[in-house]
């Protein structure tokens, strides 16, 4: 199985494996990540990539950044992906949301829960093969 499974729409019946996040020409917002944690996944290179802390992610910031893709850890230092999905949905974000994670026993259950909280957002997991980001491991 590839490191990345991507849904083209939240209600898509099948997922498509790909080598990267499909970031070519896209504007990417990385939440509580650093460049080294997502660099290898940014293929082809995005048009722009902005890094932000979850605490600074406001509707005004989202409107200014206007991301096509948002990438974050499944569990951040002070939030989880459901918190982020809710905040994005409140701001009417309609792009793609990816959560970086180690392998999970029931990834479909995680996808279903996130999509139930933010049905207008295309969501999927990116399996990094690591237990989490350096920040999470402390």
């Amino acid at each position: 199985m590839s490191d990345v499974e991507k849904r083209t729409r939240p209600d898509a019946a099948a997922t498509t494996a790909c080598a990267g996040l499909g970031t070519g020409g896209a504007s990417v917002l990385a939440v509580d990540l650093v460049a080294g944690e997502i660099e290898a996944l940014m293929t082809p290179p995005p048009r722009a990539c902005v890094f932000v802390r979850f605490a600074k992610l406001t509707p005004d910031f989202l409107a200014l950044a206007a991301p096509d893709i948002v990438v974050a850890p499944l569990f951040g230092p002070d939030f989880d992906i459901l918190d982020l999905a809710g905040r994005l949905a409140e701001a009417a974000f309609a792009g793609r949301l990816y959560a970086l994670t180690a392998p999970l026993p029931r990834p479909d259950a995680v996808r279903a829960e996130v999509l139930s909280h933010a049905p207008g957002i295309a969501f999927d997991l990116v399996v990094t093969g690591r237990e989490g980001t350096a920040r999470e491991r402390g």
Side-chain angles (χ1 to χ4, degrees):
M1 177 180 284
S2 173
D3 284 349
V4 178
E5 293 178 2
K6 177 180 76 174
R7 273 190 207 276
T8 56
R9 297 296 322 141
D11 56 351
T15 58
T16 304
C18 64
L21 298 178
T23 55
S27 175
V28 176
L29 181 64
V31 180
D32 276 285
L33 295 170
V34 295
E37 293 171 319
I38 62 171
E39 190 173 88
L41 300 172
M42 305 270 275
T43 56
R47 178 179 76 244
C49 185
V50 176
F51 294 84
V52 66
R53 304 280 296 172
F54 179 75
K56 302 288 185 182
L57 190 61
T58 64
D60 289 340
F61 184 91
L62 281 166
L64 182 64
D68 302 303
I69 298 170
V70 176
V71 182
L74 184 62
F75 298 103
D78 57 351
F79 71 99
D80 65 27
I81 204 67
L82 289 177
D83 299 325
L84 178 56
R87 191 167 290 183
L88 294 172
E90 288 172 6
F93 175 74
R96 293 179 282 165
L97 172 61
Y98 292 107
L100 304 184
T101 182
L104 299 170
R106 297 183 53 219
D108 288 338
V110 174
R111 286 185 193 100
E113 182 154 5
V114 172
L115 293 173
S116 73
H117 281 76
I121 295 174
F123 171 76
D124 213 341
L125 300 164
V126 178
V127 178
T128 62
R130 300 184 331 203
E131 287 301 315
T133 65
R135 185 179 351 296
E136 291 171 325
R137 289 189 306 240

